[in-house]
Amino acid sequence: MPRVTIEKDRCKGCSLCVEACPQQVLEMSLDINVKGYFYARPVRAHHCIGCRVCAITCPDVAIEVAVHGTLYHYFDY
Amino acid sequence: MGKKVLMKGNEAIGEAAILAGCRAYFCYPITPQTEVAEYLARRMPEVGGTFLQGESEVAVSYMLFGAGGAGVKVFTSSSSPGISLMAEGMSYIATAELPIVLINVMRNGPGLGGILPAQADYFQATKGAGHGDYHFIVLAPSSVQEAVDLIVKSFDMAEKYSNPVMLVADGMIGQMMEPVELPTFDEPPSPYVKGHEKWATTGAKGRERNLVKTLFLNPHEGQDHNVKLQTKYKEIEANEIAFEEIDTDGDLDVLLVSFGTMARVCKTAMESLKAEGVKVGMLRPISLWPFPLQRIRDLADKTKLVVSVELSMGQMVEDVERAVQGKTPVGFFGRAGGIVPTPDEVKDGILNLMKES
Amino acid sequence: MATTVFKRPESMSTNITHYCPGCTHGIVHRLVGEVLDELGLRERAIGIAPVGCSVLCYNYFNIDFQESAHGRAPAMATGIKRTRPDTIVFTYQGDGDLASIGTNELIHAANRGERITTVFVNNAIYGMTGGQMAPTTMPGQVTTTCPMGRDVQTMGHPLRVSEMLATLKTPSYIARVAVHKPSYVIEAKRALKKAFQYQVEGRCYSLVEFLSTCPTNWAMTPSQSTKWLEDTMLPYYPLGEFKTPDEEE
Ligand SMILES: Cc1ncc(C[n+]2csc(CCOP(=O)(O)OP(=O)(O)O)c2C)c(N)n1
Ligand code: SF4
Ligand code: SF4
Ligand code: SF4
């Protein structure tokens, strides 16, 4: 199963990843991180298809995506 | 020292840079130094160097920054209005402590002025044309030979102090043909600045990355950098003051202070002054920054009058006054607009000032 | 075993950027880092930082950098590349830096065919100084120095840098891309990779213009900015390759 990891304290809460995710995996939290931002976090992790779209759109390199086994991507990046 | 050849000042200036190891020259044409560019346009490719005519002196100053920041010995030549355009870059280059060398073959100003010899960029050169607390080392040759020697020396000084060096000559020296002895070296000097691996941008292979910058947003860092620069300037002031003294033994009626082409005219004027029984000596600053303040101060004790003689409306005279500290009267004789006074005019001017004082 | 399919490129440092939330400067930085990694250029690369919000961009890369004065990056890059031809030199510049104060340096570096790459971030405003009008500001767009909106009668129309440079015969590669949405980011990366690849191959000047957002000075949320870019900037600044090396010679 793909795994999306968001480094909480790098996140600036722009929510671009939340809007970009095709699987509604991510949501903005109601708590703040050390920088005082509401951060993005995976809430429906099991829906994640490892497409990397959230990471590609994150301006703060806060997101890492890992997959298990072979995963075919629909696009090269 | 090597062979003696007859060379035009501007060409000798170009050749001197090559002899000093410099293999990168960026320029923008402007009279009366364009022959430096024309000479190096032919010579640089012959020695495997870089010659590039930039789009403006502004751009040229940053080409110097870029190349200097990449650890190569780099040179440019220009004349007064061009140097004004480089002022911005000069402030950045001094802040980044890049060892670049440039020559201002000064012409008359202000504004477009004209193309005739002048020394009215003294303030610009020694007080800083650009913003902030910085100094270029400023050297003033008074012959083609001295221009050659000082250019070679400039590259060493720039490297030694990680500080830019500016030579100020004038149209007369640039255009004049004189015999020069070109220096020779047992081992040809390197085109790279010694020790550049520690700071220059060459690609971070097998080392920490290098960063050449001038922004200090943190005020303490900014102050520290300024203090560092000032400490270096103090060291330069202690080591690098250079001047020539002529007939300054014994008590004097008048001490002339003059540099470059003007000092050569003064030398001849001194002969006729002496013929009229005037005890006259001269101090010719070779380093305009650092300025020989203390030596002039000492000489002021044994002269009745000090006169600053310049191809300007009076610029170096302010430093002469600063040196003399009111101990002795200070006079000024100068010409502007590109007029180089004859020795007789200088003589009459000095005699008048002596009468007035 | 898990395979990481997306992580920070080696060419970038771990520092957190000073950019505002949602500012796409961060995306462009990452693309530069990814391309340098993928082409194996980290140890040969020299970046030139501009004056603008990205003046500190060297803090986010693990590569040699010089910091320029406002607009002069292409001249600095020229000085480096001409004297260190084996390096890979790029400038990173905003639209005030590149399209206003630095147009002379830009055009002539491009026209001489300097073997450098320009990463041009067009966010239609001066970000760092607090949102003044840029030459690229959209007609009617409100900024602090055109509080009634840019009036094209007095300030002309926005400068289309890529189209202008594409009229030059010399440059190898000129492209405009956008980074406000993932699909555009993917395309943008392709263009940037080409630009650097051409430099590696010894081809001359390449520039990639990134349409970018400035949520703070546009006074919008990041997602509103995305929409504004799409609705307002895209129609005026068409995306695409304006010049490719094949047309050369
Ligand atoms: C010679 C000079 N003039 C003006 C400035 C002030 N200044 C700093 S950044 C900037 C504008 C930057 O805007 P842009 O290039 O669009 O970059 P952004 O901040 O939007 O990324 C200005 C005018 C300066 N630093 N130097
Ligand atoms: S990898 Fe794709 S599916 Fe998974 S969280 Fe990111 S955008 Fe959503
Ligand atoms: S895109 Fe990045 S910075 Fe923005 S909310 Fe998502 S994780 Fe945070
Ligand atoms: S001011 Fe604009 S360009 Fe600058 S960091 Fe903020 S959002 Fe980005």
Side-chain angles (χ1 to χ4, degrees):
Chain A
M1 199 181 78
R3 192 182 64 236
V4 59
T5 322
I6 300 185
E7 204 180 315
K8 174 175 150 186
D9 291 332
R10 284 191 83 87
C11 174
K12 291 188 188 142
C14 70
S15 82
L16 291 177
C17 57
V18 175
E19 287 158 33
C21 173
Q23 294 290 101
Q24 284 81 45
V25 172
L26 312 173
E27 259 179 24
M28 300 309 292
S29 73
L30 297 176
D31 336 317
I32 53 172
N33 64 12
V34 284
K35 295 242 175 197
Y37 294 120
F38 296 106
Y39 54 93
R41 60 194 176 105
V43 289
R44 282 173 287 276
H46 53 291
H47 287 182
C48 178
I49 54 170
C51 69
R52 304 162 294 171
V53 160
C54 53
I56 287 167
T57 204
C58 174
D60 285 280
V61 209
I63 307 181
E64 243 185 53
V65 184
V67 297
H68 281 282
T70 313
L71 185 125
Y72 295 98
H73 279 125
Y74 293 110
F75 56 88
D76 288 334
Y77 178 77
Chain B
M1 278 288 156
K3 53 184 187 261
K4 214 162 197 153
V5 286
L6 191 66
M7 275 186 113
K8 190 170 181 170
N10 280 335
E11 298 190 346
I13 285 166
E15 190 59 31
I18 287 184
L19 287 168
C22 171
R23 292 293 179 273
Y25 172 80
F26 299 90
C27 66
Y28 190 83
I30 183 168
T31 311
Q33 62 75 51
T34 305
E35 294 90 347
V36 183
E38 289 168 345
Y39 182 79
L40 288 174
R42 271 183 291 114
R43 273 299 272 151
M44 272 300 177
E46 280 173 12
V47 294
T50 301
F51 169 91
L52 183 66
Q53 177 174 329
E55 60 271 37
S56 71
E57 288 88 349
V58 177
V60 165
S61 67
Y62 289 97
M63 291 172 186
L64 293 186
F65 188 120
V72 309
K73 289 183 183 166
V74 60
F75 182 56
T76 192
S77 54
S78 186
S79 180
S80 312
I83 301 290
S84 292
L85 272 192
M86 291 185 192
E88 184 199 51
M90 285 161 59
S91 165
Y92 285 77
I93 285 168
T95 310
E97 303 189 83
L98 299 179
I100 66 106
V101 177
L102 70 103
I103 185 164
N104 177 2
V105 183
M106 294 181 283
R107 57 188 251 182
N108 60 299
L112 206 46
I115 58 170
L116 295 169
Q119 297 179 327
D121 301 345
Y122 179 89
F123 283 151
Q124 187 194 47
T126 61
K127 310 297 174 190
H131 56 286
D133 272 332
Y134 76 90
H135 278 292
F136 272 40
I137 297 171
V138 183
L139 306 176
S142 79
S143 66
V144 177
Q145 181 68 58
E146 198 177 23
V148 167
D149 297 342
L150 288 181
I151 284 172
V152 174
K153 189 171 175 209
S154 293
F155 280 97
D156 290 340
M157 285 170 102
E159 180 174 272
K160 177 172 174 197
Y161 294 104
S162 287
N163 204 70
V165 180
M166 170 155 48
L167 290 104
V168 290
D170 57 62
M172 197 75 113
I173 291 170
Q175 299 298 328
M176 185 159 59
M177 288 277 260
E178 271 191 326
V180 279
E181 216 167 81
L182 296 172
T184 52
F185 301 87
D186 296 337
E187 211 175 298
S190 163
Y192 300 106
V193 176
K194 235 181 261 145
H196 74 267
E197 296 80 1
K198 286 197 285 294
W199 52 265
T201 60
T202 54
K205 190 173 167 67
R207 57 157 170 79
E208 290 284 289
R209 71 90 171 260
N210 287 334
L211 181 60
V212 178
K213 64 156 195 160
T214 64
L215 179 73
F216 299 95
L217 282 176
N218 173 330
H220 296 288
E221 245 185 77
Q223 171 155 294
D224 288 350
H225 190 68
N226 266 288
V227 169
K228 176 177 176 229
L229 290 178
Q230 292 302 322
T231 311
K232 175 174 80 177
Y233 298 153
K234 287 273 171 311
E235 191 192 337
I236 296 171
E237 281 174 328
N239 299 339
E240 303 297 347
I241 289 174
F243 52 85
E244 182 192 11
E245 272 181 54
I246 300 157
D247 299 337
T248 50
D249 296 337
D251 287 344
L252 297 174
D253 296 323
V254 58
L255 172 76
L256 308 183
V257 182
S258 189
F259 68 96
T261 290
M262 193 63 239
R264 285 174 78 149
V265 179
C266 284
K267 266 186 209 172
T268 317
M270 281 169 72
E271 296 313 311
S272 14
L273 282 166
K274 276 186 220 150
E276 301 201 7
V278 179
K279 277 182 269 167
V280 55
M282 176 162 74
L283 183 141
R284 175 174 74 87
I286 297 170
S287 61
L288 299 186
W289 193 90
F291 191 70
L293 286 173
Q294 187 58 49
R295 186 57 193 154
I296 294 174
R297 193 167 299 155
D298 294 344
L299 290 173
D301 284 336
K302 55 175 198 162
T303 183
K304 295 184 189 132
L305 174 68
V306 182
V307 181
S308 184
V309 188
E310 306 171 44
L311 296 179
S312 78
M313 297 308 283
Q315 298 196 6
M316 181 175 68
V317 64
E318 291 191 7
D319 280 336
V320 173
E321 279 167 349
R322 201 156 63 91
V324 172
Q325 289 180 323
K327 289 189 199 176
T328 312
V330 173
F332 168 75
F333 179 84
R335 284 288 178 270
I339 295 170
V340 180
T342 63
D344 276 346
E345 279 177 73
V346 175
K347 182 196 77 178
D348 293 345
I350 303 295
L351 290 174
N352 278 339
L353 286 165
M354 287 174 66
K355 252 182 260 151
E356 282 166 22
S357 74
Chain C
M1 240 235 0
T3 325
T4 303
V5 291
F6 194 104
K7 65 174 186 10
R8 181 186 15 267
E10 295 287 311
S11 298
M12 288 190 89
S13 72
T14 55
N15 294 338
I16 295 178
T17 71
H18 65 285
Y19 301 116
C20 309
C23 172
T24 47
H25 264 303
I27 299 181
V28 181
H29 280 32
R30 199 192 67 228
L31 294 183
V32 171
E34 289 171 351
V35 166
L36 292 178
D37 273 19
E38 288 169 25
L39 297 176
L41 300 177
R42 195 191 77 79
E43 295 182 333
R44 286 170 69 192
I46 302 173
I48 320 280
V51 174
C53 278
S54 46
V55 60
L56 295 172
C57 68
Y58 42 76
N59 286 344
Y60 313 124
F61 292 97
N62 275 326
I63 63 171
D64 277 5
F65 247 97
Q66 291 195 18
E67 177 199 87
S68 175
H70 201 17
R72 316 295 181 217
M76 230 174 205
T78 299
I80 300 173
K81 185 76 183 200
R82 291 261 175 168
T83 56
R84 297 278 188 187
D86 296 334
T87 55
I88 296 296
V89 181
F90 70 93
T91 67
Y92 186 106
Q93 302 179 260
D95 48 335
D97 192 81
L98 174 145
S100 186
I101 197 165
T103 37
N104 201 31
E105 285 75 14
L106 169 79
I107 290 172
H108 289 283
N111 194 50
R112 283 191 305 264
E114 296 301 337
R115 286 161 169 69
I116 61 171
T117 300
T118 291
V119 178
F120 169 33
V121 177
N122 178 0
N123 58 13
I125 205 157
Y126 283 17
M128 188 194 210
T129 39
Q132 295 78 27
M133 187 182 63
T136 45
T137 292
M138 296 307 296
Q141 183 184 343
V142 171
T143 74
T144 59
T145 48
C146 51
M148 309 312 212
R150 179 181 183 148
D151 178 359
V152 296
Q153 294 305 319
T154 55
M155 292 316 298
H157 291 271
L159 189 63
R160 290 188 179 114
V161 170
S162 290
E163 285 85 340
M164 179 177 73
L165 290 184
T167 65
L168 303 176
K169 188 164 162 50
T170 318
S172 289
Y173 185 69
I174 309 285
R176 183 185 289 121
V177 297
V179 285
H180 61 298
K181 284 190 177 156
S183 54
Y184 291 100
V185 177
I186 293 160
E187 285 305 314
K189 183 171 170 189
R190 289 198 185 121
L192 188 64
K193 200 163 176 177
K194 275 192 195 175
F196 274 97
Q197 182 60 40
Y198 290 142
Q199 186 181 160
V200 172
E201 290 166 8
R203 291 186 192 268
C204 73
Y205 190 78
S206 54
L207 173 140
V208 181
E209 172 175 350
F210 293 82
L211 298 184
S212 208
T213 65
C214 175
T216 300
N217 288 305
W218 292 359
M220 295 177 196
T221 64
S223 51
Q224 286 167 341
S225 304
T226 304
K227 189 162 174 355
W228 190 82
L229 192 157
E230 179 103 20
D231 296 345
T232 318
M233 289 178 77
L234 272 192
Y236 187 83
Y237 293 119
L239 306 184
E241 292 178 333
F242 294 89
K243 199 156 194 302
T244 56
D246 310 324
E247 296 162 27
E248 217 186 7
E249 282 127 84

